[in-house]
Amino acid sequence: MEITIGMFGFGKTGAIVAKEVLKDEQCVLKWIIRKTDTKEGEYASHLFGFEHDEGRIYSSDKIDHKTFYKENPVDVIIDFSSVNALQNHKYLAEEGIKIVSAISKYEPEHLEKLKKLGEKTAVLYSPNITLGINFLIEASKVLKKIIPNADIEIVEEHFRGKKETSGTAIRIAEYLELDKEKQVNSIRVGGIVGKHEVIFGLPNQTIRIVHESISRDAFGQGAIYAAKWIIDKNRGIFSMEEALALNFAKKPEKSLK
Amino acid sequence: MEITIGMFGFGKTGAIVAKEVLKDEQCVLKWIIRKTDTKEGEYASHLFGFEHDEGRIYSSDKIDHKTFYKENPVDVIIDFSSVNALQNHKYLAEEGIKIVSAISKYEPEHLEKLKKLGEKTAVLYSPNITLGINFLIEASKVLKKIIPNADIEIVEEHFRGKKETSGTAIRIAEYLELDKEKQVNSIRVGGIVGKHEVIFGLPNQTIRIVHESISRDAFGQGAIYAAKWIIDKNRGIFSMEEALALNFAKKPEKSLK
Amino acid sequence: MEITIGMFGFGKTGAIVAKEVLKDEQCVLKWIIRKTDTKEGEYASHLFGFEHDEGRIYSSDKIDHKTFYKENPVDVIIDFSSVNALQNHKYLAEEGIKIVSAISKYEPEHLEKLKKLGEKTAVLYSPNITLGINFLIEASKVLKKIIPNADIEIVEEHFRGKKETSGTAIRIAEYLELDKEKQVNSIRVGGIVGKHEVIFGLPNQTIRIVHESISRDAFGQGAIYAAKWIIDKNRGIFSMEEALALNFAKKPEKSLK
Amino acid sequence: MEITIGMFGFGKTGAIVAKEVLKDEQCVLKWIIRKTDTKEGEYASHLFGFEHDEGRIYSSDKIDHKTFYKENPVDVIIDFSSVNALQNHKYLAEEGIKIVSAISKYEPEHLEKLKKLGEKTAVLYSPNITLGINFLIEASKVLKKIIPNADIEIVEEHFRGKKETSGTAIRIAEYLELDKEKQVNSIRVGGIVGKHEVIFGLPNQTIRIVHESISRDAFGQGAIYAAKWIIDKNRGIFSMEEALALNFAKKPEKSLK
């Protein structure tokens, strides 16, 4: 089944995600709406060396958002733009277009707006939409339920220049109810792109779940997974963790039956 | 809620498990049935330095299995003995006693018998009942469903003396449909107790799930988890993976709701 | 003390190395000799956004190698070009210019030529000139001497596309006298840039030396280290391992004196 | 060449070391001097299941230290006892008996005494005499010399019960001139016996040297290595790091000659 995609944002990460969508067999990138008018009217497909026309680029200021989505319908939009794009999401909801939002800087009030949108259409929100990180989070939560008495610590390694503690590590610490000061260990050396390790210690065994980032392209794969997952939801607001968690339950293993 | 436990087997591993059961607050160890008559009539609790009387030891040959379980009812039995004990399991089933079986050497015909028992009571069977290894297996299966295009390899490290490939690694390879020759890598050096690592590779990220064994006590914690899980099942045969898998689904996370 | 550098080769890796040399405070990049005449007469410094003139580019076919090195003397040349460049190395030797050669495809006969050059000047040859890999090799050799009874295995991880076993891993296996079939384990998953791990197992402890590649720029740092090391050698042929090994011995630690 | 060994201390670690010495082909355990008179007059060899008589046990209070060493000469003594034993070391020095001291609690004044002894005989002192940890320390120092611009951090993992930061980690931090607060990361989970990892980060590569403890027997192997190394020294005080460092230099590799 073909899935038609619209995108908000064509910055560094947005472009990487667009490329992944173009490469995906099931997805068709109908259009991209960006803030500036650079490359306006061109097709993203050409910028990535494809022959065919796919992913026409529009400038947000030069289209009428009230009518655009009715005239250019898609199944799902993937938002890698900025907080501002949120103001036009209501027009998406009216058309029943599903929303995959990967904005990292949302404040509580923005999340409130997203929830409202969830009453009209299906919205998936994730500040770090890579599959690996979200699997790490979900699997860690499950493991904590299985072995509540385990001691848990997080080690995150990043390039020397990264000043603050990894936001992802802090988020994991919150989910696992850890002491962010004592149980999150930050290593800052050289050019490590990004590594997150959650260590579960029991008296007689140690379990480690490790995620190593190689490049930002990972965001594209995560966004596509989210788009394919949300396509058959009607309304409600979901998290990437849910997209993976529900997947866990889908077919319970019956290894002996 | 108190859970009464009976045990089959009091060998090296059985004793370790009994000790863990004695230490568990929710579990009460009613009795232990062993092959020999060593320590017969004594209480396992005393052997581990506890003051009170718990876990009376019986010799399998000196009790009447037809009546013993009716006269000495328990909620669950944990079996760390041997294949032979299977012949008396029917009396357990008649009393509706749940069975947690951790015999590693079962042949297909034994598994058939277990399934039959599953028509009368709830049976959980796992050849490697440590929580960690089973979490590793279950999480790996889930991750493969989430990222089916990932490349997967297994690395297992054990002490130099271990000749054959790790049975656990082979089992994981079967679950993940890997080539046991090419995708299972066996390291044999020094005195490593046991390490299993499943590596999932995507173009832009790598995910590793690692289990390191420190000692055999891990079996006790796994058996207790299984006993607590099976207590509210009526009948059927289950695997440790299921016990963990169902746990995943129990309360799906609603991180934004 | 300033070190003047000449370079052979300005391909993908050569350019990365040139950039590192330009950035190094002690080194001055006098010139670069490349096969083609692209950018001929320009300064490499400008190509990397520097204001000043440094690293003039020459085309190998358009200079007279017999006289060039006398007219354009340098302390050390760094060779990242190809086997062919070797034919002109004799003119370098005549001028007493030190040679750092990082050609990976040399055949035995080429190495013979290098040895001959070593009778007139100092030559350092290394097919993988990154500091990390060479430290890993040297440290592994030393550790094997310290604990000859240790079991040793190598694990090398690379992107799925890499068909053959890592040449570096094979080289390490040769140095450590391991069975290349049994004791070198190759993992091929996703997009891993390159990871080499040497595992030393003793009955009661395990030691791991691990090298993870992030990008090719590492070659530049290795070449610069080699150039600074060879500058005060007169003649002879050396390996990168020696450059590091001798460094070990330079000042033996006297931690208690 | 046979090496005759005397031992001070027969506690938990001392006994483990004695067993390793008994198993070593080159070493002969002449006697063991312990504080208490337990097993006095017996042979340690029998306690470990050996048939022959080796390693007679003496009680420190019941022998005349002034004459004992002249009457019962050995090549080297290995000291795993306590600070108190130091008072009799002068009699060892007089006989030219080499000393391998593995007392962890020495204060500066005790180290002063050891240095004095070093004027008469050869003394090797190491508070953590396992080969692996000392290799890790020495290799880390060397690597820091090779890549002084690398960022360095230490991660040490131990069982939850271990309150303070690992003394070994602190010692490594001192050698590498790291900030003990910021660059030493302590993980406390479950039953991890002991793991020390030194991470060296460069912009394009990461190097990790990792030591994992499996059991205390490692001390025996380290002590035997030290005894074999010190046997041909005349006088002076040495560290385990030196024993390994000098080993580095012994035969510099000439891989191309």
Side-chain angles (χ1 to χ4, degrees):
Chain A
M1 178 204 71
E2 181 183 275
I3 300 178
T4 53
I5 305 282
M7 275 192 67
F8 287 173
F10 199 59
K12 188 177 174 190
T13 307
I16 289 167
V17 173
K19 186 179 180 184
E20 293 294 315
V21 174
L22 286 163
K23 283 159 58 185
D24 187 83
E25 294 192 347
Q26 197 183 347
C27 297
V28 177
L29 182 58
K30 287 292 184 184
W31 43 256
I32 297 167
I33 296 175
R34 73 187 303 180
K35 200 163 188 308
T36 69
D37 56 9
T38 321
K39 308 281 184 188
E40 185 186 0
E42 294 183 31
Y43 288 93
S45 53
H46 300 175
L47 306 179
F48 297 115
F50 295 97
E51 294 290 311
H52 71 292
D53 296 347
E54 189 179 338
R56 182 162 185 187
I57 299 169
Y58 294 87
S59 171
S60 184
D61 303 343
K62 302 188 179 174
I63 62 170
D64 180 349
H65 291 271
K66 291 187 188 57
T67 58
F68 185 86
Y69 309 108
K70 178 180 248 66
E71 295 159 3
N72 303 276
V74 290
D75 298 320
V76 185
I77 69 105
I78 296 174
D79 185 3
F80 270 94
S81 61
S82 69
V83 172
N84 306 331
L86 194 52
Q87 66 195 5
N88 296 315
H89 279 22
K90 57 180 176 292
Y91 305 120
L92 297 168
E94 285 168 8
E95 300 304 321
I97 296 172
K98 314 293 197 307
I99 299 168
V100 170
S101 174
I103 307 302
S104 55
K105 305 168 226 50
Y106 275 157
E107 300 300 333
E109 66 263 30
H110 301 121
L111 295 178
E112 278 312 310
K113 279 191 184 175
L114 275 188
K115 285 188 203 176
K116 274 241 156 303
L117 289 167
E119 293 164 9
K120 289 186 172 175
T121 187
V123 180
L124 183 147
Y125 167 69
S126 176
N128 179 331
I129 206 162
T130 61
L131 288 176
I133 282 295
N134 283 285
F135 169 80
L136 179 122
I137 292 170
E138 186 56 24
S140 297
K141 285 190 209 154
V142 170
L143 188 50
K144 186 182 172 153
K145 272 191 239 152
I146 298 171
I147 46 176
N149 60 323
D151 306 309
I152 310 176
E153 291 215 27
I154 296 169
V155 179
E156 56 103 347
E157 302 180 355
H158 286 85
F159 49 94
R160 117 194 273 172
K162 185 172 172 66
K163 290 276 163 292
E164 74 292 354
T165 302
S166 150
T168 299
I170 289 174
R171 199 154 135 253
I172 299 171
E174 287 167 349
Y175 280 131
L176 302 181
E177 294 159 339
L178 305 180
D179 177 328
K180 285 175 225 168
E181 296 308 310
K182 290 200 190 123
Q183 292 164 289
V184 175
N185 305 271
S186 298
I187 312 295
R188 291 293 174 267
V189 296
I192 293 175
V193 178
K195 178 179 176 182
H196 289 86
E197 175 172 9
V198 185
I199 308 172
F200 289 78
L202 286 172
N204 313 299
Q205 57 191 319
T206 310
I207 299 150
R208 301 169 189 269
I209 312 174
V210 186
H211 179 270
E212 295 161 325
S213 293
I214 299 170
S215 89
R216 301 168 67 81
D217 301 11
F219 290 108
Q221 295 151 350
I224 289 167
Y225 176 89
K228 291 177 179 180
W229 178 84
I230 204 167
I231 198 68
D232 57 14
K233 305 284 169 297
N234 291 322
R235 52 182 54 78
I237 177 142
F238 306 91
S239 67
M240 194 68 176
E241 290 91 332
E242 284 174 276
L244 305 185
L246 297 176
N247 197 305
F248 277 76
K250 206 172 280 166
K251 353 183 173 57
E253 301 304 318
K254 292 273 175 278
S255 50
L256 285 172
K257 283 177 186 171
Chain B
M1 179 203 69
E2 180 183 274
I3 300 178
T4 54
I5 305 282
M7 275 193 67
F8 288 173
F10 199 59
K12 189 178 175 191
T13 307
I16 289 167
V17 174
K19 186 179 181 183
E20 293 294 316
V21 174
L22 285 163
K23 284 158 58 184
D24 188 83
E25 294 190 346
Q26 196 182 348
C27 296
V28 177
L29 182 58
K30 287 291 185 186
W31 42 258
I32 297 166
I33 295 173
R34 72 187 306 178
K35 201 162 187 310
T36 69
D37 56 10
T38 319
K39 310 277 182 189
E40 184 187 359
E42 296 184 30
Y43 288 93
S45 53
H46 301 173
L47 305 179
F48 297 114
F50 295 97
E51 294 290 312
H52 70 291
D53 296 348
E54 189 178 338
R56 182 162 187 189
I57 299 169
Y58 295 87
S59 171
S60 184
D61 302 343
K62 300 188 180 176
I63 62 170
D64 180 349
H65 291 272
K66 290 187 188 57
T67 58
F68 185 85
Y69 309 108
K70 179 179 244 67
E71 294 159 3
N72 303 276
V74 290
D75 298 320
V76 185
I77 68 105
I78 296 174
D79 186 1
F80 270 94
S81 61
S82 69
V83 172
N84 306 330
L86 194 51
Q87 66 194 6
N88 296 316
H89 280 23
K90 57 179 176 296
Y91 304 119
L92 298 166
E94 284 166 8
E95 301 303 321
I97 296 172
K98 313 295 198 305
I99 299 168
V100 170
S101 174
I103 308 301
S104 55
K105 302 169 229 49
Y106 275 157
E107 300 299 334
E109 66 263 32
H110 302 122
L111 295 178
E112 277 313 309
K113 280 190 183 174
L114 275 189
K115 284 187 202 174
K116 274 240 155 303
L117 289 168
E119 293 163 11
K120 289 185 173 176
T121 186
V123 180
L124 183 147
Y125 168 68
S126 177
N128 180 332
I129 206 162
T130 60
L131 289 174
I133 282 294
N134 283 284
F135 169 80
L136 178 121
I137 292 170
E138 186 55 26
S140 297
K141 285 190 210 153
V142 170
L143 187 50
K144 187 185 170 146
K145 273 191 237 152
I146 298 170
I147 46 175
N149 59 323
D151 306 310
I152 310 176
E153 292 215 26
I154 297 169
V155 178
E156 56 103 347
E157 302 180 355
H158 286 86
F159 49 96
R160 115 194 274 170
K162 186 173 172 65
K163 289 277 163 291
E164 74 292 352
T165 303
S166 149
T168 299
I170 290 174
R171 199 154 135 249
I172 299 171
E174 286 167 349
Y175 281 130
L176 302 182
E177 294 159 339
L178 305 180
D179 177 327
K180 285 174 224 168
E181 296 308 312
K182 292 202 190 120
Q183 291 165 290
V184 176
N185 305 271
S186 299
I187 312 294
R188 291 293 173 267
V189 296
I192 294 174
V193 178
K195 179 179 176 182
H196 289 85
E197 175 172 9
V198 185
I199 309 172
F200 290 78
L202 287 173
N204 313 300
Q205 57 191 320
T206 310
I207 299 150
R208 300 169 190 271
I209 312 175
V210 186
H211 179 271
E212 295 161 327
S213 293
I214 298 169
S215 90
R216 300 167 66 81
D217 301 12
F219 290 108
Q221 295 150 348
I224 290 167
Y225 176 89
K228 292 178 178 179
W229 178 83
I230 204 167
I231 198 68
D232 57 15
K233 305 285 169 296
N234 291 323
R235 52 182 53 76
I237 177 143
F238 306 91
S239 67
M240 194 68 176
E241 289 89 335
E242 284 174 277
L244 306 186
L246 295 176
N247 197 305
F248 277 78
K250 205 176 280 166
K251 0 185 169 57
E253 301 304 318
K254 293 271 174 284
S255 52
L256 285 170
K257 282 177 186 172
Chain C
M1 177 205 70
E2 180 183 276
I3 300 178
T4 54
I5 305 281
M7 273 193 68
F8 288 172
F10 200 58
K12 188 177 175 191
T13 307
I16 289 168
V17 174
K19 186 179 181 183
E20 293 294 315
V21 174
L22 285 163
K23 284 159 58 184
D24 187 84
E25 294 192 347
Q26 195 182 349
C27 297
V28 177
L29 182 59
K30 287 292 184 184
W31 42 257
I32 296 166
I33 296 174
R34 74 187 303 179
K35 201 163 188 304
T36 69
D37 56 9
T38 321
K39 309 279 184 188
E40 186 187 357
E42 295 184 30
Y43 288 93
S45 54
H46 301 174
L47 305 179
F48 298 115
F50 295 97
E51 294 290 312
H52 71 292
D53 297 348
E54 188 178 340
R56 181 161 187 189
I57 299 169
Y58 295 86
S59 170
S60 184
D61 301 343
K62 302 188 180 175
I63 61 170
D64 180 349
H65 292 270
K66 291 187 188 56
T67 59
F68 184 85
Y69 308 109
K70 179 179 247 69
E71 294 159 4
N72 302 276
V74 291
D75 297 320
V76 185
I77 69 105
I78 296 174
D79 185 1
F80 270 94
S81 61
S82 70
V83 172
N84 306 331
L86 194 52
Q87 65 194 4
N88 297 314
H89 279 22
K90 56 181 177 293
Y91 304 120
L92 297 168
E94 284 168 7
E95 301 303 321
I97 296 173
K98 313 295 197 306
I99 299 169
V100 170
S101 174
I103 307 302
S104 54
K105 305 167 225 50
Y106 275 158
E107 301 299 333
E109 66 263 32
H110 302 121
L111 297 178
E112 278 313 311
K113 280 190 182 174
L114 276 188
K115 286 187 202 176
K116 273 241 156 306
L117 289 167
E119 293 164 10
K120 289 185 172 176
T121 187
V123 180
L124 182 147
Y125 168 69
S126 176
N128 180 332
I129 205 161
T130 60
L131 288 175
I133 282 294
N134 283 286
F135 169 80
L136 178 118
I137 291 170
E138 186 55 25
S140 297
K141 285 190 212 154
V142 170
L143 187 50
K144 185 183 173 150
K145 272 190 238 153
I146 298 171
I147 46 175
N149 59 322
D151 306 310
I152 310 176
E153 292 215 26
I154 297 168
V155 178
E156 56 104 347
E157 303 179 355
H158 287 85
F159 49 95
R160 116 192 276 172
K162 186 173 172 64
K163 290 277 163 290
E164 75 292 353
T165 303
S166 151
T168 299
I170 289 175
R171 200 153 134 252
I172 299 171
E174 287 167 349
Y175 281 130
L176 302 181
E177 294 159 339
L178 306 180
D179 177 329
K180 285 174 225 168
E181 296 307 312
K182 291 200 190 125
Q183 291 165 290
V184 175
N185 304 271
S186 299
I187 312 295
R188 291 292 174 268
V189 296
I192 293 174
V193 179
K195 178 178 175 180
H196 289 86
E197 175 172 10
V198 185
I199 309 172
F200 289 78
L202 286 172
N204 313 300
Q205 57 191 319
T206 310
I207 299 149
R208 301 169 190 271
I209 312 175
V210 186
H211 179 270
E212 295 161 327
S213 293
I214 298 170
S215 89
R216 301 168 66 82
D217 301 13
F219 290 109
Q221 295 151 349
I224 289 166
Y225 175 89
K228 292 177 178 178
W229 178 84
I230 204 168
I231 197 69
D232 57 14
K233 306 285 170 296
N234 291 322
R235 53 181 53 77
I237 178 143
F238 306 92
S239 67
M240 194 67 176
E241 290 91 331
E242 284 174 277
L244 306 185
L246 295 176
N247 196 305
F248 277 75
K250 205 175 282 165
K251 357 184 172 59
E253 302 303 319
K254 292 273 174 282
S255 51
L256 286 171
K257 285 179 184 170
Chain D
M1 179 204 71
E2 180 183 275
I3 300 177
T4 54
I5 305 280
M7 275 193 65
F8 288 172
F10 200 58
K12 188 178 175 191
T13 307
I16 289 168
V17 173
K19 186 179 180 184
E20 294 293 314
V21 173
L22 285 163
K23 284 159 58 185
D24 188 83
E25 294 190 347
Q26 196 182 349
C27 297
V28 177
L29 182 58
K30 287 292 184 186
W31 42 257
I32 297 167
I33 296 173
R34 72 186 305 180
K35 200 162 187 309
T36 69
D37 56 9
T38 319
K39 309 280 183 189
E40 185 187 0
E42 294 183 30
Y43 288 94
S45 54
H46 300 174
L47 306 179
F48 297 115
F50 295 96
E51 294 290 312
H52 70 292
D53 297 348
E54 189 178 340
R56 183 162 185 190
I57 299 169
Y58 295 87
S59 171
S60 185
D61 303 343
K62 302 189 178 176
I63 62 170
D64 180 350
H65 291 271
K66 290 186 189 56
T67 59
F68 184 87
Y69 310 108
K70 177 180 246 69
E71 293 159 4
N72 303 276
V74 290
D75 299 320
V76 184
I77 69 106
I78 296 174
D79 185 1
F80 270 94
S81 61
S82 70
V83 172
N84 305 331
L86 194 52
Q87 66 195 2
N88 296 314
H89 279 23
K90 58 179 176 296
Y91 304 120
L92 296 167
E94 285 167 6
E95 300 304 321
I97 296 173
K98 315 295 198 307
I99 299 168
V100 170
S101 174
I103 308 302
S104 55
K105 304 167 226 52
Y106 275 157
E107 300 300 332
E109 67 263 31
H110 301 122
L111 296 178
E112 278 312 309
K113 279 192 183 174
L114 274 189
K115 285 188 204 175
K116 274 242 158 300
L117 289 167
E119 293 164 9
K120 288 185 173 176
T121 187
V123 180
L124 183 147
Y125 167 69
S126 176
N128 179 330
I129 206 162
T130 60
L131 289 175
I133 283 294
N134 284 285
F135 169 80
L136 179 123
I137 292 169
E138 186 55 26
S140 296
K141 285 188 207 155
V142 170
L143 187 50
K144 184 181 173 152
K145 274 191 236 152
I146 298 171
I147 45 175
N149 60 323
D151 305 310
I152 310 175
E153 292 215 24
I154 297 169
V155 179
E156 56 102 349
E157 303 179 355
H158 286 85
F159 49 95
R160 115 194 275 171
K162 186 173 172 62
K163 290 277 162 291
E164 75 292 353
T165 303
S166 149
T168 299
I170 290 174
R171 198 153 135 253
I172 300 171
E174 287 167 349
Y175 280 130
L176 302 181
E177 294 160 338
L178 305 180
D179 178 328
K180 285 174 225 169
E181 296 308 311
K182 291 201 189 123
Q183 292 164 289
V184 176
N185 304 272
S186 299
I187 313 294
R188 291 292 174 267
V189 296
I192 294 175
V193 178
K195 179 178 175 182
H196 290 85
E197 176 172 7
V198 185
I199 309 172
F200 290 78
L202 286 173
N204 312 301
Q205 58 191 319
T206 310
I207 299 150
R208 301 168 190 271
I209 312 174
V210 186
H211 179 270
E212 296 161 326
S213 293
I214 298 170
S215 90
R216 301 166 66 81
D217 300 11
F219 290 108
Q221 294 151 349
I224 289 166
Y225 176 89
K228 291 178 178 179
W229 178 83
I230 204 167
I231 198 68
D232 57 13
K233 306 283 169 297
N234 291 322
R235 53 181 54 78
I237 178 141
F238 306 91
S239 66
M240 194 68 176
E241 289 89 334
E242 283 173 278
L244 305 185
L246 295 175
N247 197 305
F248 277 78
K250 205 173 283 167
K251 355 186 175 55
E253 302 303 318
K254 293 272 174 280
S255 51
L256 285 171
K257 282 178 185 170

